[in-house]
Amino acid sequence: MNSMDFEARKGNLRTYFLSDKFKENELGERVYYKGKRNLKELKYILDLVFGDDYEIINETYLQNSLSKEIGGYITCKMYVDADFNGFNQGAAGDNVFARFNLTENAFYMEQAQTIEGLDRNW
């Protein structure tokens, strides 16, 4: 996939998880799924959005301070080709490493040029 397509797919994910399909709680947070189901639903959505264009490296459950599973994350790798006609111009494509996180009340994504870059503590 090229870089514009990659950005569009990420935007589609964000739009889906911020849609009215998911209600808000009394604190104004989106309420997604409970516990382990978050990882299952996240994998399903990533399969729909990225199809064969991504490779899963790791799937892990996330726990709160009480050791209760509240969600999960998927670390994956995708090859993103450069866009030669547009804002995201470049000379060649490269691998992008991404981590998609879904908990009971949050969806967020991290990306880096290396797998080690995802594990940095900023």
Side-chain angles (χ1 to χ4, degrees):
M1 88 187 100
N2 68 33
S3 58
M4 288 181 67
D5 188 29
F6 176 63
E7 293 299 324
R9 292 180 193 198
K10 288 189 331 186
N12 290 342
L13 277 172
R14 185 176 186 279
T15 300
Y16 173 75
F17 283 111
L18 294 178
S19 72
D20 291 337
K21 172 182 165 83
F22 302 102
K23 303 300 179 209
E24 292 184 356
N25 64 15
E26 63 277 355
L27 301 174
E29 301 169 323
R30 294 269 182 220
V31 178
Y32 298 110
Y33 306 100
K34 296 290 182 191
K36 291 183 176 183
R37 184 168 174 206
N38 283 300
L39 186 60
K40 178 182 173 185
E41 295 293 335
L42 180 60
K43 185 175 183 330
Y44 175 75
I45 295 300
L46 290 176
D47 285 346
L48 285 177
V49 172
F50 292 108
D52 293 335
D53 291 331
Y54 85 116
E55 174 187 336
I56 294 176
I57 296 171
N58 187 16
E59 298 179 36
T60 305
Y61 290 110
L62 293 171
Q63 296 180 341
N64 64 11
S65 60
L66 303 173
S67 297
K68 177 184 170 198
E69 290 171 345
I70 59 168
Y73 66 83
I74 295 176
T75 304
C76 57
K77 175 176 84 169
M78 293 167 259
Y79 183 81
V80 179
D81 206 5
D83 237 342
F84 294 103
N85 295 314
F87 178 74
N88 300 311
Q89 288 184 340
D94 205 353
N95 287 320
V96 172
F97 295 89
R99 181 173 293 139
F100 296 92
N101 306 272
L102 184 62
T103 65
E104 293 175 2
N105 299 108
F107 166 77
Y108 57 99
M109 180 211 159
E110 306 161 89
Q111 80 180 53
Q113 292 177 324
T114 64
I115 191 75
E116 294 82 14
L118 290 176
D119 295 327
R120 283 202 172 136
N121 293 324
W122 298 99

